[in-house]
Amino acid sequence: MNSAFLSYAVCRGTIAFIWFYHGLVPKLLYPHEDELAMSMAIGLSRAGAEKAATIGGMLEIAFAIAVLAFWRQRWPLLFTIAAMVGLLGFVVMFQPVLVGAAFNPVTTNIAVMALALVGLHLQRVLDAADAASFS
């Protein structure tokens, strides 16, 4: 198997898994207090925060599917990078205490951004290889 393709598949698969897991586990199956606290920090009631977590979880799962369904398109990776920057900024502004937690959004979001950047690079490598094979 082509090592660039395998690396690309690992990047895409891992990004999809992270979106899926973060949508399913701390939002839908076991709504985590940190997730709810972030929504309540912007003024939502607990019920509103729970509803926001449910909607957010469904959107994250849908996006995980999109990362895989649009396998050779760049926009899911670009969106992932933008979302990680935006979500990290949101945490810093509204729940800065989470930045110092043991497993925190700084390390998670930067790692996901790095995977997306590597995926974008590998996608270019694969596209160039495809173009060269048709020449």
Side-chain angles (χ1 to χ4, degrees), residues 73-89:
Q73 293 186 22
R74 296 172 50 86
W75 71 264
L77 299 177
L78 293 169
F79 177 84
T80 294
I81 293 166
M84 293 302 106
V85 170
L87 292 169
L88 183 56

Side-chain angles (χ1 to χ4, degrees), residues 34-133:
D34 290 345
E35 291 284 348
L36 301 175
M38 284 188 285
S39 294
M40 290 188 292
I42 62 168
L44 294 179
S45 66
R46 179 151 183 107
E50 288 171 354
K51 183 175 245 180
T54 299
I55 292 167
M58 291 187 300
L59 289 171
E60 287 183 26
I61 290 170
F63 193 70
I65 294 166
V67 168
L68 298 176
F70 298 99
W71 187 256
R72 293 301 292 261
Q73 293 186 22
R74 296 172 50 86
W75 71 264
L77 299 177
L78 293 169
F79 177 84
T80 294
I81 293 166
M84 293 302 106
V85 170
L87 292 169
L88 183 56
F90 179 84
V91 169
V92 168
M93 286 176 55
F94 294 103
Q95 276 305 103
V97 69
L98 295 177
V99 172
F103 299 98
N104 65 67
V106 174
T107 56
T108 302
N109 289 31
I110 289 174
V112 172
M113 284 189 282
L115 276 173
L117 286 168
V118 171
L120 286 168
H121 169 73
L122 290 167
Q123 188 173 6
R124 278 187 227 121
V125 169
L126 292 169
D127 289 346
D130 286 348
S133 69

Side-chain angles (χ1 to χ4, degrees), residues 20-32 61:
F20 183 83
Y21 185 90
H22 281 264
L24 181 65
V25 176
K27 291 185 180 74
L28 296 178
L29 293 181
Y30 310 102
H32 196 276
I61 290 170

